[in-house]
Amino acid sequence: MSEEKTPGELRREELYYNPKSAWDGLADGEKEALETYCADYRKFLDLGKTERECADYTVRLAESSGFRSLVRGEPLNPGDKVYRVNRGKSVMLAVIGSEGLDKGVNIAASHIDSPRLDLKPNPLYESDEIAYFKTHYYGGLRKYQWVTIPLELHGVVAMKDGRSVQVCIGEEENDPIFTISDLLPHLAKDQSKKALNEAIPAENLNILVGSSPMPGDEGTDRVKLQVMDILNEKYGITEADFISAELSAVPAFRARDLGLDRSMIGAYGQDDRVCAYAGLAALLQLETPRRTAVCMLADKEEIGSDGVSGMQSEAFDTFIADLCRPGGIDPAVCMEQSFCLSTDVTAAYDPTYPEVFEKRNSALMGYGMGLCKYTGSGGKSGASDASAEVVARVRRILDDADVAWQMAELGRTDQGGGGTVALYLANRNIDTLDAGVPVLSMHSPFETTSKVDCYMTYKGVRAVYSD
Ligand code: MN
Ligand code: MN
């Protein structure tokens, strides 16, 4: 039997776009590097279940890697490593390159907020001797997925005297946890007939927080009083302090290896902390790049990137201006010459639901970083649509660095859509391309990624920083 390829086979190899499993393309020793990277990534997930916690842990990692808080006006030299935290919720980091900032910067922009259940400003009530917190969901979540799962409570209570009380309940092994009830199947005849998006109304997402009455009291809300008494004992807060609090219920799951072959990671908040960690880990290892490298970890992406800590905030422009000013560079010139990889997750092709995907243009699990020329919905609406030249540049960078990548759309054109922070960078006159890790069950309490895709996205961002 001949081993030689036929002319047709050779021609196919030469002419066709043929993405391959990233697992098959790993070099010697890369499997170990991948596992080490993913173990660190799981820790990043476990220690950052809100954007505030994620920002805090980012600063800890950055400082232990030689970064310092940027002082406005200080001279900056090649190799300097600086960061700025925006209101505790967003972090911008930079490693100063050997070239001037008039040559532009290489940016990786991702977000560290994730869908969750925020407590309402007046959340605590009692109904039939059960105490609850009312919630207002944050981001595009499917409400039916958030009932009957274990929940933790994370956040801060800002006091009138300026103190900030940190709340974290459920993280420790012996902490209590929380949940939201749902109907038993025996009595769900009517609910089961409802459309999936109507079966659980937002006002039913009430978190169970107590059921025992305050001893020795005759009032009508003894369970609520008991709960408030516990909170007052532990945190020194009263009911009015909820008004100036940001408390969120997040899934009480730890990040875990998933699958018998341990090839995947299952965790809450991988959108978009998987790309945030890729951008951060790559930056922390940089020495002195040619162009200054910038890692942007934004807040509020899941609700439109508005607000002081979102990607649309001028905080980013101010950071770039503060990097430019010591060298007398116009920030507008810097941005015009800059390049951004908008690193956010994309939908992984799900073989259980092939009808919502267009397979030729879908990201496959295990096939590496997914590039998206455009996102948006209803005919690219809301997309920045990277130019062909920008995509070509990224193809060159990734191929030169042996990064497994694949070209993808989110799903079928008429099925829906979504956006990222890409357009807000592009609107600033920065060439921007979307790229990120394919995810199964995106926005659910427990999202799944492939380890090799996580690792390849880290390698891809590293190559962009180093270009
Ligand atoms: Mn995202
Ligand atoms: Mn999202």
Side-chain angles (χ1 to χ4, degrees):
M1 202 165 68
S2 171
E3 295 278 316
E4 271 179 37
K5 289 175 177 162
T6 67
E9 283 168 344
L10 288 168
R11 212 58 189 134
R12 274 188 199 89
E13 266 179 31
E14 198 177 349
L15 297 180
Y16 284 178
Y17 163 60
N18 188 21
K20 295 180 182 69
S21 167
W23 293 108
D24 292 334
L26 286 175
D28 287 345
E30 270 199 310
K31 182 74 179 13
E32 291 69 33
L34 173 157
E35 291 294 349
T36 304
Y37 173 80
C38 287
D40 292 341
Y41 165 51
R42 285 196 310 268
K43 189 172 176 197
F44 183 78
L45 288 171
D46 287 340
L47 293 177
K49 288 188 167 176
T50 63
E51 61 275 4
R52 286 178 191 266
E53 292 172 352
C54 196
D56 287 349
Y57 185 53
T58 294
V59 168
R60 273 166 57 196
L61 289 176
E63 289 189 341
S64 64
S65 298
F67 283 69
R68 66 176 191 274
S69 181
L70 177 63
V71 177
R72 182 162 295 145
E74 69 172 328
L76 293 168
N77 299 304
D80 279 358
K81 300 175 174 192
V82 294
Y83 71 86
R84 174 173 292 158
V85 179
N86 178 12
R87 293 167 172 89
K89 300 178 176 187
S90 161
V91 191
M92 296 161 279
L93 309 98
V95 178
I96 307 301
S98 53
E99 286 185 358
L101 274 99
D102 55 326
K103 299 291 196 303
V105 299
N106 289 327
I107 306 163
S110 52
H111 65 94
I112 53 175
D113 60 316
S114 296
R116 62 183 186 233
L117 303 174
D118 286 342
L119 296 202
K120 290 192 181 196
N122 186 18
L124 182 61
Y125 71 101
E126 176 178 336
S127 181
D128 301 287
E129 295 181 51
I130 299 177
Y132 295 95
F133 281 148
K134 287 214 68 80
T135 66
H136 192 134
Y137 63 90
Y138 174 97
L141 52 78
R142 308 188 74 195
K143 287 168 283 199
Y144 75 88
Q145 295 177 340
W146 291 73
V147 297
T148 68
I149 61 165
L151 297 168
E152 297 173 358
L153 200 63
H154 293 236
V156 298
V157 183
M159 307 298 279
K160 281 199 290 182
D161 63 8
R163 281 181 305 124
S164 184
V165 179
Q166 305 292 318
V167 175
C168 180
I169 308 171
E171 185 84 12
E172 298 298 325
E173 196 60 44
N174 292 319
D175 279 358
I177 53 167
F178 308 93
T179 197
I180 294 167
S181 65
D182 192 12
L183 283 177
L184 59 170
H186 318 67
L187 294 176
K189 189 159 154 279
D190 292 342
Q191 187 201 41
S192 300
K193 287 184 199 143
K194 290 182 182 168
L196 213 49
N197 63 341
E198 290 164 2
I200 312 284
E203 299 306 336
N204 283 17
L205 294 176
N206 303 318
I207 299 172
L208 204 49
V209 292
S211 66
S212 66
M214 181 75 144
D217 181 74
E218 303 284 302
T220 54
D221 52 1
R222 297 165 63 206
V223 178
K224 172 181 169 175
L225 186 62
Q226 174 87 325
V227 167
M228 203 59 242
D229 187 61
I230 292 166
L231 289 170
N232 181 258
E233 283 292 312
K234 188 161 184 199
Y235 299 107
I237 63 173
T238 66
E239 190 177 21
D241 295 322
F242 282 123
I243 289 166
S244 53
E246 287 176 354
L247 297 170
S248 304
V250 296
F253 312 141
R254 299 211 132 210
R256 301 287 293 267
D257 277 358
L258 198 145
L260 286 169
D261 57 2
R262 295 178 171 265
S263 62
M264 296 168 277
I265 291 175
Y268 163 68
Q270 299 205 69
D271 174 9
D272 181 33
R273 294 180 193 125
V274 66
C275 297
Y277 188 68
L280 177 65
L283 194 83
L284 296 185
Q285 290 162 8
L286 272 187
E287 289 305 328
T288 306
R290 184 176 64 85
R291 302 219 291 181
T292 293
V294 173
C295 174
M296 172 75 203
L297 307 181
D299 178 30
K300 297 285 177 278
E301 193 278 340
E302 296 295 357
I303 58 168
S305 297
D306 287 294
V308 284
S309 54
M311 195 63 242
Q312 297 194 66
S313 164
E314 285 196 20
F316 179 76
D317 309 72
T318 305
F319 181 68
I320 295 293
D322 286 341
L323 295 180
C324 287
R325 199 170 290 119
I329 308 298
D330 182 349
V333 171
C334 172
M335 292 212 229
E336 183 184 70
Q337 298 299 318
S338 292
F339 172 73
C340 176
L341 209 56
S342 169
T343 48
D344 201 345
V345 297
T346 188
Y349 177 82
D350 188 338
T352 305
Y353 298 96
E355 65 278 8
V356 304
F357 294 94
E358 193 268 284
K359 199 172 178 184
R360 293 177 57 81
N361 289 283
S362 292
L364 303 180
M365 289 272 285
Y367 273 58
M369 179 163 67
L371 306 187
C372 298
K373 186 175 182 298
Y374 45 81
T375 58
S377 59
K380 301 193 182 182
S381 183
S384 57
D385 202 357
S387 73
E389 292 83 350
V390 169
V391 182
R393 174 185 175 161
V394 174
R395 285 176 62 197
R396 189 257 307 158
I397 293 172
L398 299 181
D399 285 344
D400 286 353
D402 289 322
V403 177
W405 61 274
Q406 50 185 330
M407 204 64 199
E409 291 188 331
L410 193 68
R412 284 191 179 240
T413 308
D414 282 337
Q415 191 63 45
T420 66
V421 298
L423 73 163
Y424 305 116
L425 277 305
N427 290 349
R428 289 172 159 110
N429 200 20
I430 299 170
D431 275 323
T432 302
L433 178 65
D434 271 298
V437 177
V439 175
L440 286 175
S441 322
M442 195 196 295
H443 283 204
S444 77
F446 197 71
E447 302 171 315
T448 298
T449 56
S450 161
K451 284 182 177 176
V452 77
D453 298 337
C454 299
Y455 180 70
M456 286 298 167
T457 299
Y458 152 75
K459 266 183 83 174
V461 178
R462 192 176 64 182
V464 166
Y465 285 150
S466 306
D467 182 51

